[in-house]
Amino acid sequence: MKLYSFLKLIRTVFALIFILLISFIFFDIHSLVSPENARYAALTQFVPSMLSFIKMPALIFSSFIIIILVTITAGRSYCSFLCPLGIFQDVISRIASTLHIKKSAGFTPAYNFIRYSILVTAVVYYTTTGTFLLIWLDPFSIYGRFVSAIISPALTGINNISAGILLKFNIFSIHSVDIKYADITLLFIILTIIISISAIAAIKGRLYCNTICPVGSLLGLVSRFSFLKITIDKDTCIHCGKCENICKSSCIDYKEVYVDFSRCVSCFNCLNICPNSSIRFEYAFPGKIRN
């Protein structure tokens, strides 16, 4: 259990640090990050890395290959600590819990027809038309637009107000910056998307990741062949339901002693809450659990 607690701690700390760094790149109002470094940061993400690799195959553009290999090894870890939109949803979910917003907990069936239809549509559209649909469904692009169009102007306004106040005291450590406003139509679309995703996260956790996000659907397919998986020992499970209630992906069915690992994002919440240590993260290929 101590190992699982350590894994969860590492995942949480890394995720928070990563989302702060990615967010800073998008609201870097004083241009402290060079365009080249910003580009490298984007290449840690699945879709930007994949598109770059397709255009110019090189080792530096192979992050998406590494993500695939990690997924084959241990499931959708990328969704848990590298995807900024996924981490954002976890933050919203945690805030909702703190505010005692009632969450719809428990196992839900996979909406496979919806998730894979969206994935196929995105792939077909990309191969026949272009990247328009893909970049609007890409979680990194969604989060980037949210920070650039909403958070960045707000922070710029705070910066300018602070600069004006400090100027009265002859302090010039902060200077005013022009605020870059998004087009009103684009702003409305972004607000609608981010509010919808936030509402879903507050009530249903990672439902967006496991129903609409094409990256989540693709990695879900890959994770079916993972070597390391969350497993439940049927002989020692006492059917208390704690694992099902805490699962942010609603992919644990304690009554059937079943984990839908294609939707699991490897948050490790269930490992620590099990009172009988019946849940483990272990070698489970080619199939200790039903998937």
Side-chain angles (χ1 to χ4, degrees):
M1 295 299 290
K2 290 183 178 179
L3 174 60
Y4 295 150
S5 297
F6 178 72
L7 287 175
K8 181 181 177 181
L9 176 63
I10 292 297
R11 179 196 66 78
T12 303
V13 171
F14 188 92
L16 290 175
I17 292 175
F18 187 79
I19 193 172
L20 288 174
L21 290 175
I22 288 293
S23 299
F24 179 76
I25 291 172
F26 284 110
F27 61 68
D28 180 19
I29 59 179
H30 293 293
S31 301
L32 299 177
V33 180
S34 67
E36 188 68 16
N37 288 332
R39 179 169 173 269
Y40 287 142
L43 290 176
T44 63
Q45 300 299 299
F46 187 85
V47 171
S49 174
M50 180 189 70
L51 295 177
S52 296
F53 183 84
I54 292 173
K55 291 180 180 179
M56 191 193 322
L59 182 61
I60 197 171
F61 301 136
S62 61
S63 297
F64 85 99
I65 296 177
I66 296 175
I67 293 169
I68 290 291
L69 293 176
V70 169
T71 305
I72 292 175
T73 302
R76 291 170 54 184
S77 301
Y78 166 82
C79 301
S80 194
F81 69 90
L82 271 181
C83 174
L85 188 63
I87 301 169
F88 171 78
Q89 291 174 79
D90 289 345
V91 172
I92 294 297
S93 183
R94 178 58 64 89
I95 293 174
S97 297
T98 303
L99 296 176
H100 302 291
I101 296 176
K102 188 176 181 180
K103 182 180 179 181
S104 178
F107 176 79
T108 58
Y111 302 106
N112 287 333
F113 179 78
I114 297 175
R115 65 198 290 211
Y116 296 132
S117 293
I118 293 175
L119 173 61
V120 170
T121 300
V123 172
V124 171
Y125 188 93
Y126 169 69
T127 56
T128 59
T129 307
T131 61
F132 177 80
L133 181 60
L134 187 60
I135 60 177
W136 271 102
L137 291 173
D138 170 37
F140 176 70
S141 298
I142 292 174
Y143 184 78
R145 288 189 180 92
F146 162 62
V147 176
S148 299
I150 299 172
I151 304 299
S152 182
L155 290 178
T156 304
I158 294 173
N159 172 86
N160 293 348
I161 292 173
S162 301
I165 294 173
L166 292 176
L167 186 62
K168 296 179 180 180
F169 298 94
N170 294 320
I171 299 176
F172 307 98
S173 56
I174 301 177
H175 63 273
S176 296
V177 180
D178 292 335
I179 300 178
K180 299 177 181 178
Y181 294 104
D183 175 79
I184 188 66
T185 302
L186 178 62
L187 183 61
F188 175 78
I189 295 173
I190 294 171
L191 275 173
T192 300
I193 292 174
I194 207 67
I195 290 174
S196 299
I197 292 175
S198 298
I200 293 172
I203 300 173
K204 290 296 295 181
R206 290 293 194 104
L207 180 63
Y208 173 85
C209 301
N210 289 324
T211 307
I212 298 175
C213 178
V215 176
S217 297
L218 177 61
L219 296 183
L221 285 173
V222 176
S223 68
R224 292 176 181 273
F225 305 97
S226 299
F227 293 96
L228 297 173
K229 293 180 179 179
I230 300 292
T231 67
I232 304 177
D233 190 331
K234 294 183 178 181
D235 296 328
T236 60
C237 176
I238 59 175
H239 303 279
C240 64
K242 291 184 177 181
C243 56
E244 182 177 305
N245 290 329
I246 202 173
C247 178
K248 66 179 63 177
S249 295
S250 301
C251 66
I252 299 178
D253 185 349
Y254 79 94
K255 295 179 181 178
E256 298 295 328
V257 196
Y258 165 56
V259 180
D260 181 359
F261 200 67
S262 73
R263 291 185 287 154
C264 175
V265 294
S266 300
C267 66
F268 303 132
N269 288 346
C270 60
L271 296 174
N272 295 308
I273 202 169
C274 181
N276 213 34
S277 300
S278 298
I279 302 180
R280 305 183 184 92
F281 186 58
E282 61 184 358
Y283 176 79
F285 186 85
K288 284 188 178 180
I289 60 176
R290 206 161 31 94
N291 251 335

